Amino acid sequence: MTGRLGSSLLWIYFVLMVAFLFLPLAVLVLFAFNSGTTPTLPIQGFTTKWFTDAFSNTDLTSALLRSAAIGVLASVVATALGIMAAIGLNAKRVPGEPVAIGALLLPLVVPYISLAVGMLILLQALHFKNALWEIALGHAVIALPFALLVILPRLRSLDGSLNEAARDLGASDFAAFRLVTFPLLLPALLSSFIICFSTSFDEFAIASFLYPSGQPTYPVFLYGGARSPAILPQLIAIGTLVIAISLLIVGLSELGRRWAERRIEGRTSASVDVSSADTLATT
């Protein structure tokens, strides 16, 4: 009886959680095809003109492309820094490792608004004007903990003897990393890039403080445009496309990750079989 009750409560919780997460997305998609200018039920009719109007709005499309470019740059920087930090923390003896990990993960607990104000004061003290690269830098800072939390566990799960074998065969440390470790890290690096990109793409606080005049990012433009009934339907249409593209990217990345892991496992098992055969032949 207790088991059935627990299972029923678990399913109820799951259904409520899925509804809470996905019903707003479904409503957004529904109103993207509403011919009315206000998102109210019942919908007045079916239309796709808001998509055409959205792509004709150069301010909206420029903000969208601006956020995408910043997201790519921030993701590359955060993932690269995550690799270096993971390699350093994966060493056998790291003095002050808990302090280093705490410092690297600090952006997870620091409010973004506080970080944005601090960056604005610092950059103004250094006589820098607001620029898009500053937003990318700030986004790389807040995305770094996510990259580290994805890459470090994967790196620690790898067999260290593989690198040692590569070095015994004459490979340098860099060559061993490039030829052995890096391919094994590719699924984690792909996951890190996607997580960092999503973190940067929808970040508002830092971007709202650091964006140059007339060059808002998509979240900043969205915040301002949501209060304007004239472009609200266009924002809903673009939001629907963003949801669709996000789901497509997540699906493709998951398929790619599984394919890469199967390929890596196949190569690893083949190498083990060859090594075992060589050992038996020598004995």
Side-chain angles (χ1 to χ4, degrees):
M1 184 66 181
T2 304
R4 290 183 179 179
L5 178 60
S7 179
S8 301
L9 291 176
L10 181 61
W11 272 106
I12 293 173
Y13 170 77
F14 175 76
V15 171
L16 291 177
M17 182 187 67
V18 171
F20 178 77
L21 290 176
F22 290 101
L23 275 181
L25 303 183
V27 171
L28 185 69
V29 174
L30 176 65
F31 283 124
F33 299 96
N34 181 22
S35 60
T37 57
T38 56
T40 56
L41 292 174
I43 61 175
Q44 300 178 13
F46 180 86
T47 184
T48 58
K49 70 175 183 177
W50 303 124
F51 294 91
T52 304
D53 292 346
F55 283 107
S56 301
N57 189 336
T58 56
D59 292 334
L60 175 56
T61 54
S62 296
L64 194 64
L65 294 175
R66 202 172 291 124
S67 284
I70 292 174
V72 170
L73 179 58
S75 302
V76 170
V77 173
T79 302
L81 294 176
I83 294 174
M84 291 186 285
I87 293 174
L89 293 172
N90 194 49
K92 294 182 178 179
R93 294 181 179 179
V94 181
E97 178 179 352
V99 177
I101 294 178
L104 290 170
L105 300 182
L106 189 61
L108 289 176
V109 296
V110 174
Y112 289 174
I113 188 69
S114 301
L115 182 61
V117 173
M119 288 190 64
L120 179 64
I121 295 174
L122 175 62
L123 292 171
Q124 286 184 347
L126 296 175
H127 304 290
F128 284 109
K129 296 182 179 180
N130 287 5
L132 297 179
W133 68 265
E134 297 171 359
I135 301 177
L137 178 62
H139 288 179
V141 170
I142 63 175
L144 175 58
F146 298 102
L148 183 63
L149 291 173
V150 172
I151 298 172
L152 183 58
R154 176 62 177 173
L155 184 62
R156 286 180 171 173
S157 69
L158 301 180
D159 188 357
S161 62
L162 296 176
N163 270 341
E164 294 177 1
R167 287 192 291 268
D168 290 340
L169 294 173
S172 62
D173 290 339
F174 179 75
F177 172 79
R178 181 173 60 87
L179 298 174
V180 178
T181 305
F182 186 78
L184 296 175
L185 283 178
L186 276 179
L189 298 182
L190 178 60
S191 300
S192 169
F193 181 88
I194 293 175
I195 293 173
C196 293
F197 181 84
S198 62
T199 301
S200 170
F201 186 80
D202 62 3
E203 197 282 325
F204 173 78
I206 294 175
S208 65
F209 276 85
L210 300 180
Y211 78 93
S213 177
Q215 300 183 57
T217 61
Y218 176 65
V220 176
F221 184 90
L222 182 65
Y223 178 75
R227 293 174 290 181
S228 174
I231 65 172
L232 181 58
Q234 301 175 23
L235 297 177
I236 295 175
I238 289 295
T240 300
L241 291 179
V242 170
I243 293 172
I245 294 173
S246 300
L247 294 175
L248 178 63
I249 292 175
V250 170
L252 292 176
S253 63
E254 180 63 18
L255 292 176
R257 184 188 65 82
R258 292 184 178 182
W259 174 82
E261 287 186 347
R262 286 197 298 266
R263 188 177 180 185
I264 290 170
E265 290 175 358
R267 288 183 175 182
T268 304
S269 60
S271 300
V272 172
D273 293 341
V274 171
S275 301
S276 302
D278 292 341
T279 303
L280 292 175
T282 55
T283 56

